[in-house]
């Protein structure tokens, strides 16, 4: 597999302290959150967790990619939403892995058009490009 090369337009910087049971903050101070393992993984669940942060980033990025595709296709995606469900679980090799479900609601287009827009956005979205071939990503329309 060829490693994708980019010409950076922006670089986000975040620093974690104490891993999954600590704090994550960005260098510009716009994000500063307590992270704790969820109760389902034996933690307190008091703070957010890396999977929620990834789901937030992926859903926002994918919604942006959907907008790019919609403009190209001249499709009306006003009022649309994208929800990302990020699951974490054990892999066969003894480590941990992720799986993602992306669900979109696009009220102003028919189901076939919505699915086509999702498939095309999946080719544009940087998160999709970063995860392709590495984790399972399912796309669906509601």
């Amino acid at each position: 597999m060829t490693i994708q090369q980019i010409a950076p337009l922006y670089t986000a910087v975040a620093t974690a302290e104490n891993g999954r049971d600590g704090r994550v903050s960005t260098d510009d101070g716009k994000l500063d959150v307590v992270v704790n393992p969820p109760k389902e993984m034996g933690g307190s669940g008091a703070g957010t967790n890396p999977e929620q942060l990834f789901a937030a980033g992926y859903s926002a990025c994918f919604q942006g990619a959907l907008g790019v595709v919609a403009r190209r296709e001249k499709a009306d995606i006003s009022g649309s939403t994208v929800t990302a469900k990020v699951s974490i679980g054990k892999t066969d090799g003894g480590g941990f892995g992720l799986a993602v479900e992306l669900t979109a609601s696009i009220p102003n287009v028919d189901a076939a058009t919505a699915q086509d827009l999702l498939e095309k956005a999946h080719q544009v979205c940087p998160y999709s490009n970063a995860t392709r071939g590495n984790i399972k990503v399912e796309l669906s329309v509601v």
Side-chain angles (χ1 to χ4, degrees):
M1 179 191 274
T2 303
I3 301 293
Q4 180 183 41
Q5 300 295 317
I6 65 163
L9 300 172
Y10 167 76
T11 300
V13 179
T15 302
E17 300 171 22
N18 295 323
R20 289 184 157 273
D21 210 357
R23 168 174 243 91
V24 175
S25 60
T26 55
D27 64 335
D28 62 5
K30 292 181 181 177
L31 180 70
D32 188 349
V33 295
V34 172
V35 290
N36 300 114
K39 289 182 181 183
E40 296 83 350
M41 293 178 65
S44 69
T48 189
N49 59 66
E51 292 70 40
Q52 287 176 325
L53 295 170
F54 186 71
Y58 203 161
S59 63
C61 190
F62 198 89
Q63 179 78 31
L66 186 61
V68 168
V69 170
R71 282 188 294 283
R72 287 181 188 164
E73 302 284 319
K74 301 199 181 345
D76 180 6
I77 64 159
S78 59
S80 66
T81 61
V82 174
T83 300
K85 293 181 182 178
V86 175
S87 299
I88 184 171
K90 292 186 179 180
T91 65
D92 291 339
F96 289 87
L98 300 174
V100 176
E101 295 176 41
L102 294 171
T103 305
S105 169
I106 310 174
N108 297 323
V109 299
D110 61 69
T113 300
Q115 189 64 42
D116 183 59
L117 291 170
L118 284 188
E119 298 292 338
K120 289 176 178 174
H122 193 43
Q123 299 306 309
V124 172
C125 177
Y127 278 63
S128 293
N129 289 330
T131 59
R132 185 169 293 108
N134 298 310
I135 66 172
K136 182 178 179 181
V137 177
E138 294 182 11
L139 306 175
S140 63
V141 176
V142 292

